[in-house]
Amino acid sequence: MAIAIMCSGGDSCGMNPAIKSFVDYCYEKELEPYFIYEGYDGLIDNKIKKAKHKDVSGILHLGGTIIKTSRSKRFLEEKYRKIAYENLKSHNIDKLVVLGGNGTFRGLHTFAQEFDLSFVGIPATIDNDIYGSDYALGVDTALNVIKSALDDIRDTSFSLKRAFVVETMGRNCGYLAAISAIISGAEICMIPEIKTNLESLEKKLKDELKHGREYILAVVSEGANQTDNLVSWINDKLKMESRSIVLGHIQRGGNPTVYERLMANEFMIYAIDELLKEKTQSIIIYKNSKFKFIDIKKVMDKKQKIDKNILKQLEKMTK
Ligand code: F6P
């Protein structure tokens, strides 16, 4: 039985450990594992090859994905999805494991409505915005990268008595910024999910500055689109020299953490077992320390929300 794996969208740490588990577990179950290289673009271009054990040796510690990924524009067109399906058929592949985020799953959902396909999607995006899942592959490593950056920035912030506004990734979701602000003791956090009360923030920080505060760390999510405004606001209202830094794509790289490697393996074993049971068109999620499968349609229809307790902690910052 042939089964293929593909990564699509932005790469994330944990993809390589998942790819290794895929190949190892397929051989254990006497399945034929295939790699689809370069995401949906590679599927359209028939970049499909049988995977061997040696392809996945020595990759556990690597960020990114050895089978590459893409943000395919062509896959949005039906004529290319037809070619993609024919390529799968030519290798007798009718089962897929797909690693990616919401864009990836949207493409998969459309594909599955048009052609007969069984698949499991594994959340793999540093944005951590897959409906129903507390966690996606890549989030833990990204948070650790941000944590180190904030620890380092604090040194100069402290020494020069400056404010630093640090922008994290997260296209529409403030999860990375929210967690990083909490674990780093930041004074300000701006995310799309919360409207910042600038008046009370000003009052609170002015009071702290009066009583000895010498520097400020602010974490702003890319999705809030407030980095430059906040720098100006700190300069103008708090009269403190401030700088901004956009952490950017370094958040996607690095050495996958212990948690990421363990979760990659768990996700993959559950996903393959599910594919072996019956036809499925689902996303595996991790919720309240349990793995579950949700129909892809439901994942597409709903928006993931940040946990209420996390939001409450952030709201306290401005009180
Ligand atoms: O993979 C998710 C993500 O890193 C988002 O946080 C960010 O908005 C986007 O991808 C950046 O995409 P690209 O690498 O294509 O510029």
Side-chain angles (χ1 to χ4, degrees), residues 25-78:
Y25 196 57
C26 279
Y27 279 114
E28 193 183 318
K29 290 277 171 183
E30 299 183 349
L31 305 166
E32 272 184 80
Y34 280 85
F35 285 156
I36 299 166
Y37 288 89
E38 298 173 26
Y40 291 126
D41 271 343
L43 187 54
I44 294 164
D45 297 332
N46 205 9
K47 294 189 176 170
I48 303 174
K49 274 198 200 130
K50 193 149 174 208
K52 304 203 183 74
H53 269 306
K54 77 168 179 44
D55 296 327
V56 293
S57 68
I59 68 162
L60 270 174
H61 63 297
L62 302 175
T65 157
I66 58 153
I67 59 173
K68 314 242 162 101
T69 180
S70 62
R71 296 197 193 276
S72 175
K73 292 216 166 59
R74 285 184 294 161
F75 201 71
L76 299 172
E77 291 181 48
E78 195 188 340

Side-chain angles (χ1 to χ4, degrees), residues 214-234:
E214 290 187 322
Y215 69 99
I216 288 170
L217 274 188
V219 184
V220 177
S221 171
E222 170 192 7
N225 199 17
Q226 288 296 333
T227 304
D228 293 341
N229 290 346
L230 187 58
V231 170
S232 310
W233 184 85
I234 294 171

Side-chain angles (χ1 to χ4, degrees), residues 102-135:
N102 281 319
T104 299
F105 296 157
R106 231 183 329 275
L108 196 54
H109 183 222
T110 311
F111 197 38
Q113 284 174 320
E114 295 164 342
F115 304 102
D116 186 29
L117 204 64
S118 188
F119 64 81
V120 173
I122 298 182
T125 164
I126 64 165
D127 289 5
N128 208 20
D129 58 351
I130 304 300
Y131 174 75
S133 196
D134 293 338
Y135 161 79

